[in-house]
Amino acid sequence: MRLTKRTDLALRIAMRLAVLDDEAAPTTREVADQVAVPYSHAAKVVTLLQRLGVVDARRGRGGGLALTQSGRTGSLGRLVRELEGVGDVVGCEDDPPCPLRSACRLRTALRNAQEAFFAALDPITIEDLVAAPTGPILLSLSSRPPAG
């Protein structure tokens, strides 16, 4: 199974925000630069993460992005399910539909494998993902000059 680019980007943005203190609050543009993606892609993903309650986005002076408590400690499996959706792994109902779809055992086996994949992510949180050695690398992605 391969995650969509949207899910990959959403997880990288959440991880980046997880290592910042609440005062840092980078803009979407800064986070896009830090994770090396186009601003337009990052903006769409930030909007989605905000809708899912993972990211708090404040506009204007003193605004920026912050990971919510739910974003920090919520289940990674739940988040990936929401980002990916729970559709079939294979296109049994595509055009043209598969002629085996009414009696196929592959579809069920793949659905079970997909759920096992998500279940393996259920006990993991974004906070878990940013433990060392990942966290220090994420902190080094700053586009702002160090204060001082």
Side-chain angles (χ1 to χ4, degrees), residues 27-97:
T27 65
T28 301
R29 188 166 306 282
E30 288 170 333
V31 170
D33 290 344
Q34 293 162 359
V35 297
V37 297
Y39 168 77
S40 59
H41 292 9
K44 289 176 188 174
V45 168
V46 165
T47 299
L48 174 60
L49 289 172
Q50 187 177 12
R51 194 172 69 232
L52 294 173
V54 174
V55 168
D56 180 30
R58 296 174 306 276
R59 292 181 173 259
R61 187 176 199 100
L65 304 176
L67 197 63
T68 65
Q69 186 59 29
S70 151
R72 285 182 189 287
T73 60
S75 165
L76 183 62
R78 179 197 58 80
L79 179 57
V80 172
R81 279 182 188 90
E82 289 183 32
L83 292 166
E84 287 290 310
V86 289
D88 285 329
V89 176
V90 292
C92 302
E93 302 298 332
D94 289 354
D95 189 25

Side-chain angles (χ1 to χ4, degrees), residues 12 15-16 19-20 30-36 134-144:
R12 286 192 284 150
M15 290 170 65
R16 174 63 182 139
V19 297
L20 300 176
E30 288 170 333
V31 170
D33 290 344
Q34 293 162 359
V35 297
T134 307
I137 292 170
L138 287 163
L139 282 170
S140 74
L141 300 177
S142 180
S143 62
R144 291 182 183 175

